[in-house]
Amino acid sequence: MTSSKLLSRFQWAKSPLIINAPMAGSATPRLATEVSKAGGLGLLGSIWDLGADASQLSKLDADLGEARTLLGDDLPASSQIQIGAGFITGHPSMATFADTALPVVAKHRPAAIWLFAPDGDLKPHPAIIKALKSLDPAPTVFVQVGNVAAAREAVNDGADVVVAQGVDAGGHQFRQGTGIVALVPEVRNMLEDEFPGKDVGLVAAGGIVDGRGVAAALALGADAVVMGTRFTVAFESTYSEHGKETVLKTVDGGVSTLKSPFNDQINKIDLWGPLYDGRAVIGPIHEKFLAGASLEECQKSLKEDYSEEEGRKITRTWAGAGVGLVKKAQAAGDIVREVQKETMATIQRLAGLA
């Protein structure tokens, strides 16, 4: 799939297509709709608990309804909403997707659905994608991956778009992988060699925060890009104020952040399977761990030396290695427009070198 073909799925979008990551707890209906209004593709924060009485499912219903309202009265009730929604698919309740989540998707008609992080022993994506494809109109299905084998599996499962996430990304990702400089071209080659008859889009994610990164990703073979860390400081983001302040002041992201299972283990978070870990800004508890303290010692210190709120602040500021390039808080729509403008300027500058 070319960039223009991917854009054709989202009639309101402009080139280059900028997508905000489906950041749980941060990507609000207002953020997602402002991204789409500016010519990008906005995504709501991912959910994972699809139990019959799950509050997350009720919130998704409400958020999609709010998004339709925010997009304006001129949006026909029968048309797709110009945003997408995400699901973290490692939770056991994903087996109930067709019964619990699909009716919500069918009711609101989001333009895109994003899937990520099935557990190693669970393979829910084929059934979920089949259910989504039964809808009319069917949403475009994005599947986030971290290596070539997972990208191949995603295509076989029926994904319309593969999101190749490099290890520079903030938040959760594959434990083993590489940056987009190696990953995106190899996934592109795999798609062209093994699936020549399929129109599968390729999106790059991980460490991209400005137009230079977008231009580089496009040169590597991506049709569009995802940014997470840049959007955490959007005015419409509900990332914590402490988190926003930390993102804006952090520099030298490669050494100021830590990609490790420790980021979940310290808080005893068990949502993520053994294939995944996360990248967060280093705080004093991380420093203890890196200096040789055991996980148990760090957990004891977190409990005894910090309040619950302080502990959350110093251990859960998710950010990518590009965090040092994020210098200002902005409206989400302004981020999209600025990055698109930077991208075109970068491409024009490079064309002048020929």
Side-chain angles (χ1 to χ4, degrees):
M1 184 181 292
T2 63
S3 298
S4 60
K5 284 187 176 181
L6 181 57
L7 276 175
S8 71
R9 288 176 172 264
F10 311 110
Q11 295 295 325
W12 68 89
K14 300 175 183 178
S15 180
L17 179 59
I18 308 298
I19 306 167
N20 73 272
M23 303 170 290
S26 300
T28 63
R30 187 166 294 278
L31 187 151
T33 54
E34 288 302 312
V35 168
S36 290
K37 286 178 180 179
L41 172 59
L43 299 175
L44 296 174
S46 293
I47 67 169
W48 56 90
D49 186 354
L50 304 185
D53 299 320
S55 61
Q56 290 185 12
L57 204 55
S58 299
K59 187 175 187 303
L60 176 63
D61 188 5
D63 284 352
L64 287 168
E66 181 183 348
R68 182 175 287 276
T69 299
L70 290 169
L71 286 166
D73 295 334
D74 58 340
L75 186 66
S78 61
S79 68
Q80 289 185 319
I81 306 178
Q82 297 173 354
I83 63 164
F87 294 87
I88 298 169
T89 55
H91 195 275
S93 67
M94 283 295 148
T96 71
F97 186 94
D99 296 324
T100 56
L102 190 66
V104 177
V105 175
K107 172 184 176 182
H108 294 286
R109 302 170 178 247
I113 294 294
W114 177 294
L115 307 176
F116 177 51
D119 184 86
D121 296 327
L122 299 175
K123 300 291 184 180
H125 286 186
I128 292 174
I129 295 174
K130 182 179 180 180
L132 291 168
K133 294 301 181 184
S134 73
L135 300 178
D136 184 19
T140 298
V141 179
F142 291 69
V143 176
Q144 179 180 330
V145 302
N147 57 51
V148 178
R152 180 182 297 111
E153 181 177 358
V155 178
N156 284 324
D157 288 344
D160 298 306
V161 181
V162 172
V163 182
Q165 182 192 39
V167 294
D168 287 343
H172 288 87
Q173 56 192 273
F174 277 53
R175 288 195 189 187
Q176 288 185 291
T178 186
I180 62 169
V181 171
L183 180 60
V184 170
E186 190 171 0
V187 172
R188 171 59 73 190
N189 287 352
M190 182 275 293
L191 293 175
E192 293 176 350
D193 293 344
E194 300 181 25
F195 301 97
K198 289 192 175 184
D199 257 345
V200 180
L202 175 58
V203 174
I208 303 169
V209 297
D210 61 17
R212 292 169 296 180
V214 175
L218 297 177
L220 292 168
D223 300 313
V225 303
V226 177
M227 299 193 306
T229 304
R230 179 73 181 268
F231 282 108
T232 62
V233 297
F235 297 151
E236 301 86 352
S237 163
T238 52
Y239 209 44
S240 71
E241 288 306 311
H242 174 270
K244 290 183 177 184
E245 292 171 4
T246 301
V247 166
L248 291 171
K249 73 180 183 182
T250 298
V251 298
D252 204 356
V255 296
S256 298
T257 61
L258 175 66
K259 170 181 161 59
S260 171
F262 176 80
N263 289 308
D264 290 320
Q265 294 167 345
I266 185 63
N267 288 295
K268 301 181 180 179
I269 297 173
D270 59 3
L271 173 62
W272 302 93
L275 296 177
Y276 311 100
D277 65 7
R279 183 183 291 277
V281 177
I282 292 173
I285 293 294
H286 296 86
E287 292 171 350
K288 287 179 183 290
F289 180 69
L290 293 170
S294 68
L295 173 62
E296 292 74 20
E297 289 170 333
C298 291
Q299 288 173 333
K300 181 180 179 183
S301 175
L302 185 64
K303 182 177 180 180
E304 295 180 353
D305 300 334
Y306 302 91
S307 68
E308 184 176 346
E309 181 180 357
E310 289 171 335
R312 188 180 300 109
K313 288 179 178 180
I314 63 175
T315 61
R316 299 191 193 184
T317 302
W318 307 102
V323 64
L325 295 170
V326 181
K327 297 298 184 184
K328 59 184 177 180
Q330 295 171 275
D334 288 342
I335 292 173
V336 173
R337 287 183 284 266
E338 180 177 293
V339 171
Q340 288 174 332
K341 184 177 180 180
E342 288 175 351
T343 302
M344 299 313 297
T346 301
I347 292 173
Q348 291 168 2
R349 177 175 60 81
L350 293 172
L353 297 177

